[in-house]
Amino acid sequence: MKKSKQINILISNTGTQLLNFRASIESSARLQTFSISPIEGSIHSSNKTTLVSTFSPSDPQSLSGILKIFSNDLNEPTIQINLEGVGQPATLEWQK
């Protein structure tokens, strides 16, 4: 069943100082269904970086998680993004 889907999450540093971040995912799934890359990094002033969240379900069911991004941003030191996905059953295709 390991069909995966990825989404890109853009983080911008609009401040004047170096922005340091660390990302983690809390998931309701018993296996590592959601992942994030990179899990930490730094962004210089007026620059951006892209995080990639991957959903890789092992069962055909609805799953959820929370992506948390922790940073040294004084205004928003923690950001939460809800993640949801539905695993689809595997399909077989026959060719003659």
Side-chain angles (χ1 to χ4, degrees), residues 1-89:
M1 153 125 224
K2 279 288 192 183
K3 188 172 187 180
S4 63
K5 173 89 174 172
Q6 293 184 328
I7 59 168
N8 293 330
I9 301 162
L10 184 67
I11 301 178
S12 300
N13 182 357
T14 59
T16 59
Q17 302 295 317
L18 184 68
L19 180 69
N20 299 307
F21 71 89
R22 181 176 45 85
S24 68
I25 292 180
E26 296 175 1
S27 177
S28 64
R30 62 187 180 282
L31 300 174
Q32 188 71 13
T33 304
F34 296 97
S35 63
I36 191 74
S37 180
I39 57 170
E40 62 183 340
S42 299
I43 308 168
H44 290 281
S45 177
S46 301
N47 284 309
K48 305 172 188 176
T49 194
T50 300
L51 302 182
V52 178
S53 179
T54 304
F55 175 66
S56 299
S58 57
D59 296 314
Q61 62 180 327
S62 179
L63 300 163
S64 63
I66 299 172
L67 168 61
K68 291 186 177 183
I69 302 171
F70 305 94
S71 73
N72 61 331
D73 184 323
L74 296 177
N75 295 322
E76 292 183 275
T78 304
I79 294 176
Q80 288 190 179
I81 300 172
N82 292 325
L83 303 172
E84 294 182 358
V86 178
Q88 301 296 319

